[in-house]
Amino acid sequence: MISLNSNQASAGSLIVVSAPSGAGKSSLLKSLLQQQPELQVSVSHTTRDMRPGEVDGEHYHFVSYDKFKQIQSENGFVEHAEVFGNFYGTAKSSLEEPLGRGKDLILEIDWQGARQVRSHFADAVTIFIAPPSIESLRERLQSRGQDSVEVIEGRMREAVSEMSHFNEYDYLIINDNFDQALRELRNVVASASLRRAQQEQRHAAMIRGLLAIN
């Protein structure tokens, strides 16, 4: 197992993406992955029940409460949290292995998780996706037709709290025009993979050859 820490650059780029509910993060990432299938999305662990249509190991690693607590006690999570009585966490192994192989990895988490991840991976690229206005966010949540007025108001309060942490991120993308936001997201991901440390890891032999004196 390759072990990485905040002082060790990996060949792959860890790209953390956060957004309030309704900002369009899932749609943007879905389109990005369709255009760039070489990207990989980190799969988190959870103790919640599997929903219809979900696949273990694809949407989440579904584990028991005892198994989750065992991994946690062994410091096996980079970040973890309790949400509505269920536990969620990102295992270190799910990041270290693909990053060590040079894969660019997308991690979808909230600001609290992003803060925890940065303490382990200082070279992580962090992106916050925001709506163009509070009004548009409310309209998007209402247009889903899935939640009551009370639930929507609760999501709005959570969204404002989430958005107050935008300044902790490297990049801010405003999802007003979807195509433009997608281009901006694609550009950030591309620039992350071209950072000197990542390129040096990927092309070490070539660089040694370029610098060799005959």
Side-chain angles (χ1 to χ4, degrees):
M1 173 66 66
I2 299 169
S3 180
L4 305 174
N5 56 55
S6 59
N7 297 315
Q8 179 182 354
S10 60
S13 295
L14 178 60
I15 302 160
V16 176
V17 183
S18 303
S21 178
K25 169 173 60 68
S26 296
S27 296
L28 285 169
L29 289 177
K30 180 179 179 180
S31 294
L32 177 68
L33 292 167
Q34 288 173 344
Q35 294 180 5
Q36 298 181 232
E38 71 277 6
L39 291 173
Q40 185 172 326
V41 177
S42 174
V43 180
S44 300
H45 287 64
T46 185
T47 60
R48 77 160 172 78
D49 293 334
M50 191 184 307
R51 295 169 182 167
E54 290 184 327
V55 178
D56 185 32
E58 179 180 336
H59 297 91
Y60 285 98
H61 296 294
F62 294 94
V63 296
S64 66
Y65 173 84
D66 289 342
K67 179 62 175 179
F68 191 97
K69 286 299 181 181
Q70 178 188 341
I71 299 173
Q72 183 180 343
S73 68
E74 296 170 350
N75 294 317
F77 289 121
V78 172
E79 61 85 24
H80 59 84
E82 181 180 0
V83 181
F84 301 123
N86 294 306
F87 290 88
Y88 297 81
T90 302
K92 291 180 182 178
S93 58
S94 69
L95 302 183
E96 292 176 342
E97 196 275 332
L99 289 173
R101 288 190 290 106
K103 297 289 292 184
D104 291 337
L105 193 61
I106 303 286
L107 179 57
E108 300 179 59
I109 47 177
D110 65 10
W111 69 268
Q112 298 177 81
R115 185 179 286 181
Q116 293 179 59
V117 168
R118 281 193 297 269
S119 69
H120 293 275
F121 295 87
D123 64 342
V125 174
T126 56
I127 305 169
F128 194 89
I129 298 172
S133 68
I134 284 292
E135 291 75 18
S136 67
L137 182 64
R138 188 185 300 275
E139 289 174 3
R140 291 174 186 179
L141 291 173
Q142 291 173 339
S143 67
R144 293 176 177 178
Q146 300 174 342
D147 300 317
S148 65
V149 173
E150 292 77 14
V151 170
I152 290 175
E153 289 307 310
R155 292 189 183 279
M156 289 297 297
R157 288 191 294 272
E158 292 173 5
V160 172
S161 175
E162 182 88 16
M163 289 188 291
S164 70
H165 295 273
F166 81 94
N167 57 354
E168 299 180 18
Y169 290 74
D170 300 317
Y171 296 91
L172 174 64
I173 295 175
I174 307 301
N175 187 15
D176 188 7
N177 178 284
F178 183 86
D179 290 337
Q180 179 178 337
L182 180 58
R183 283 195 299 271
E184 293 173 350
L185 179 59
R186 189 169 59 240
N187 289 341
V188 172
V189 171
S191 65
S193 68
L194 296 175
R195 289 177 298 170
R196 192 269 309 160
Q198 276 62 38
Q199 290 286 69
E200 187 176 1
Q201 287 276 346
R202 293 188 185 105
H203 305 293
M206 183 200 71
I207 292 172
R208 285 195 299 270
L210 289 172
L211 301 177
I213 299 176
N214 295 323

